[in-house]
Amino acid sequence: MREQTQTNSAAPGDRLIRAGAIVFFIGTVATMITVAPLFLGTTPFPTYMFGLSMFMGLGFLIAGAGVLRSIAAGRRQARAAAEPSR
């Protein structure tokens, strides 16, 4: 079975997980930038920065969808392998 698996093959959901991680990272940076004026005593950033902070949650949801898609594909593959061939 090992010789049939390609090392560079991408499983279903891998792209969603990567995209979710990137969006989450952007949201993390935006959150740190938004919170920094509270600690530094400077003027707060505009309201749209708070909206960019929501990218953390959005990235988490995208990555979660990728994980669920990967799990579903693995279960389908396991079911197909367990069925007797006709």
Side-chain angles (χ1 to χ4, degrees):
M1 181 68 72
R2 180 175 228 147
E3 57 276 350
Q4 294 175 357
T5 305
Q6 297 178 1
T7 57
N8 61 352
S9 63
D14 282 354
R15 288 184 183 167
L16 280 175
I17 294 170
R18 287 187 191 122
I22 291 168
V23 172
F24 184 85
F25 179 73
I26 292 169
T28 302
V29 171
T31 300
M32 288 190 290
I33 291 171
T34 304
V35 173
L38 298 174
F39 295 113
L40 301 175
T42 60
T43 58
F45 284 98
T47 307
Y48 71 87
M49 286 300 290
F50 292 101
L52 287 177
S53 297
M54 297 299 162
F55 277 25
M56 274 178 77
L58 180 64
F60 188 76
L61 288 174
I62 292 171
V67 168
L68 291 176
R69 186 171 180 197
S70 178
I71 290 170
R75 292 180 78 183
R76 279 192 301 269
Q77 186 178 8
R79 276 195 201 117
E83 288 180 3
S85 52
R86 295 178 185 183

